Amino acid sequence: MIGLISATAAGAAARDRLAAAWPDRTRVYEGPAGEAVRAAFAECDRLVCFLATGATVRLLAPLLGDKAADPGVVCVDEGGRFAVSLVGGHGGGANELAYEVAELLGAEPVVTTATDAVGLAGLDTLGLPVEGAVAAVSRALLDGEPVALEAESAWPLPPVPFAEQGAYTVRLTDRDVRPGPQEVLLRPPSLVVGVGASKGAPVEEVLGLIGEALREAGLSVRSVAELATVDAKSEEPGIVAAAERLGVPLVTYPADELAAVSVPNPSDAPLAAVGTPSVAEAAALRRGGELLVPKRKSAARPAMATCAVVRRPGRGRLAVVGLGPGARDLLTPRAAAELRRASVLVGLDQYVDQIRDLIRPGTLVLESGLGAEEERARTAVAQARKGHAVALIGSGDAGVYAMASPALAEASDDIDVIGVPGVTAALAAGAILGAPLGHDHVSISLSDLHTPWEVIERRVRAAAEADIVVTFYNPRSRGRDWQLPKALAVLAEHREPGTPVGVVRNASRPDESARLTTLAGLDPATVDMMTVVTVGNTATRDIAGRMVTPRGYRWQHAPEGAR
């Protein structure tokens, strides 16, 4: 929960904007500022104080304790110009909150954490539990000293400029080891604990068994990703409470799925009780991995709990990111976050140039020219299979005539794939023209490099006969100059010469141009590959110089008094 505190009318107005935007995330604290800050500090994960920084510091000073446990605090000035990450930038989440608050209020985020200031990913912001000399190793990274990464398994980490050797070390491990004086331990969520329990098994017995199994195997409890069991035990109090105390999800599987998992220690008892010869081992192994701790029973007499531990390998991560039509303010926050998260970035060279300033130090950039789309897709998937966090970029929306299709054709279920939508060229052009896509519409690429012209023409004809607004992508190039005239001729068989046609080149970019013409008046020679052409349907109109396709609401045709 985010506590909101203000002391003036101006601060309260900005405070209320946040509260309205985030009703489920925020709580407003009324009353004197000092009392409000003390109450929110005790009750909330993060705070936003609409106060002067000096006043906020004085109010916070007596409350500050452990940086690992204190809430993050963001301070917003009375004029709403700046959102300052004041306390708990990384551990408390204040840096991230400052960016969110600034975006919502139209303010400037102020983040002074050293790693953020130079674009480095902080070791305590990698999304993994961290132990050891975080400050010392972070300082070494900032000073350009070599910091080595010792990864016991591949894991999709964000970019950090690691060296092959160095006096400082970051060690990625799920083993129960202590960090050295110049070492940081990162704990990947690689361990799955399968659990079985008799009815009424105490939570202390379940937790005791899990802790003993991990200790004897030399494994860290901080790398436990989940508890797993059979569906029949999904509400068993001891198992549910154990997952809650460990702070991990409880995942359950149907008995028939677990019965199909090959295990080393099947038993007749669980088969009779819940319909599978194995619960702990089968649940832990259900999604693959290496069995580190075979089934073992708790020490109680009679034993009421069993567990098994499996290590799952890290899965590479492929984010297919749409950059939008070109303008930076049409790049979505989610896309920007994925670019910062990726340790490997793959893309067309001209698209990489658009976002080069967003790429963090340590990111491997693999760029190539036009015509290498399939090779880029294969490269991105191959890098993800190596366990990296990969961003494959494309213009507009990566799923529309872009990189998502070839990438997903290459990818199998051995990597995680995340699609990040972007503003398409059709949408950007439509916004410039007015509302040409106000009713049913279709996008058709006129490039016959990958699709036979016969297929393209059949689709154009179907859209013409169905009276659907059409946006043409890839309308004309030096080597393809007859396809657009042919497509327009097909549409002209079903639409009047005066049908509005919108032509937009380089939508949202500095050299953007747009014009509204007609089906008969469009000169195909004025169109190139940087242009999208939108042809209206029989209802589309030119209204005050804007291209509008009415939705067909009944009120548009109703008598004045009946609206």
Side-chain angles (χ1 to χ4, degrees):
M1 186 63 66
I2 302 172
L4 305 180
I5 300 101
S6 63
T8 66
R15 176 203 68 191
D16 291 345
R17 287 175 61 190
L18 282 189
W22 300 336
D24 298 327
R25 300 175 60 193
T26 57
R27 180 186 303 162
V28 173
Y29 285 80
E30 303 280 5
E35 295 178 10
V37 167
R38 286 191 292 274
F41 195 91
E43 298 170 357
C44 296
D45 301 313
R46 292 176 289 177
L47 280 67
V48 179
C49 297
F50 296 87
L51 307 166
T53 53
T56 307
V57 168
R58 292 181 183 280
L59 293 173
L60 289 174
L63 308 176
L64 297 176
D66 184 353
K67 65 180 291 185
D70 289 342
V73 180
V74 170
C75 189
V76 179
D77 66 288
E78 293 290 312
R81 297 169 300 168
F82 304 104
V84 182
S85 174
L86 195 64
V87 173
H90 285 167
N95 289 356
E96 179 184 356
L97 182 59
Y99 286 111
E100 289 187 86
V101 170
E103 182 179 1
L104 195 150
L105 297 180
E108 182 75 20
V110 179
V111 175
T112 58
T113 310
T115 50
D116 294 83
V118 298
L120 281 175
L123 296 175
D124 50 356
T125 67
L126 300 182
L128 303 178
V130 60
E131 305 169 28
V134 176
V137 176
S138 296
R139 173 53 57 189
L141 285 167
L142 287 166
D143 290 343
E145 297 185 44
V147 176
L149 174 65
E150 295 181 2
E152 296 179 3
S153 61
W155 207 266
L157 294 174
V160 178
F162 290 120
E164 292 187 4
Q165 294 182 329
Y168 297 87
T169 306
V170 172
R171 185 176 175 188
L172 182 75
T173 180
D174 58 18
R175 299 186 182 279
D176 188 17
V177 295
R178 296 179 63 84
Q182 296 184 138
E183 185 178 53
V184 165
L185 300 181
L186 294 178
R187 300 298 190 181
S190 55
L191 304 178
V192 178
V193 180
V195 181
S198 302
K199 184 176 177 61
V203 61
E204 290 77 12
E205 182 173 342
V206 176
L207 283 174
L209 173 62
I210 293 172
E212 182 181 81
L214 293 171
R215 281 192 301 273
E216 292 186 7
L219 300 170
S220 172
V221 68
R222 301 191 77 186
S223 280
V224 174
E226 63 188 43
L227 298 192
T229 191
V230 67
D231 278 352
K233 296 296 179 178
S234 63
E235 297 182 0
E236 184 63 42
I239 295 178
V240 173
E244 290 175 350
R245 292 196 194 178
L246 290 171
V248 299
L250 175 62
V251 179
T252 66
Y253 300 101
D256 58 346
E257 288 188 15
L258 297 186
V261 178
S262 177
V263 297
N265 300 292
S267 172
D268 292 335
L271 180 61
V274 294
T276 173
S278 171
V279 173
E281 288 181 339
L285 287 165
R286 173 62 184 82
R287 290 171 55 195
E290 176 189 3
L291 184 63
L292 302 180
V293 180
K295 182 182 74 174
R296 59 186 295 165
K297 296 181 180 180
S298 54
R301 294 290 181 270
M304 300 185 72
T306 61
C307 83
V309 183
V310 162
R311 175 186 288 139
R312 288 183 187 160
R315 288 170 61 88
R317 188 177 190 277
L318 173 62
V320 187
V321 181
L323 301 180
R328 178 56 61 84
D329 60 353
L330 292 181
L331 175 74
T332 67
R334 186 179 301 180
E338 288 293 345
L339 297 177
R340 291 192 296 269
R341 190 190 193 287
S343 60
V344 179
L345 186 138
V346 182
L348 179 67
D349 47 14
Q350 64 189 57
Y351 297 153
V352 173
D353 287 340
Q354 291 179 23
I355 47 85
R356 202 175 291 276
D357 61 304
L358 298 178
I359 301 173
R360 275 181 160 165
T363 303
L364 174 63
V365 179
L366 303 174
E367 52 189 305
S368 53
L370 286 168
E373 288 77 14
E374 293 182 356
E375 180 58 33
R376 283 195 292 275
R378 285 192 292 268
T379 297
V381 171
Q383 289 290 328
R385 286 189 174 131
K386 293 179 181 179
H388 298 306
V390 182
L392 175 62
I393 61 173
S395 66
D397 183 286
V400 179
Y401 303 123
M403 294 306 302
S405 179
L408 269 60
E410 290 284 336
S412 52
D413 62 359
D414 58 344
I415 62 173
D416 295 325
V417 178
I418 298 91
V420 182
V423 177
T424 69
L427 296 180
I432 294 165
L433 293 169
L437 310 182
H439 209 305
D440 298 334
H441 54 275
V442 64
S443 296
I444 299 176
S445 171
L446 294 184
S447 172
D448 55 1
L449 297 178
H450 301 288
T451 305
W453 174 254
E454 293 75 15
V455 175
I456 296 173
E457 183 175 346
R458 187 165 67 246
R459 292 170 179 172
V460 174
R461 192 170 300 280
E465 292 174 351
D467 196 25
I468 296 176
V469 174
V470 181
T471 296
F472 288 126
Y473 279 70
N474 306 314
R476 184 177 182 273
S477 68
R478 292 179 182 176
R480 294 185 302 100
D481 58 2
W482 58 268
Q483 288 88 344
L484 178 59
K486 177 62 175 175
L488 295 174
V490 171
L491 291 175
E493 295 174 13
H494 300 271
R495 301 185 191 179
E496 296 295 329
T499 300
V501 174
V503 181
V504 180
R505 188 178 189 277
N506 283 334
S508 86
R509 302 189 183 191
D511 57 346
E512 167 191 297
S513 64
R515 68 183 188 278
L516 188 57
T517 181
T518 64
L519 188 55
L522 175 61
D523 179 4
T526 63
V527 172
D528 61 13
M529 284 289 287
M530 305 304 293
T531 307
V532 290
V533 177
T534 300
V535 182
N537 65 8
T538 56
T540 305
R541 297 289 182 267
D542 177 345
I543 301 176
R546 302 181 184 92
M547 187 175 178
V548 179
T549 302
R551 181 78 183 274
Y553 293 112
R554 286 193 298 268
W555 58 261
Q556 291 182 319
H557 308 289
E560 186 70 28
R563 294 181 183 177

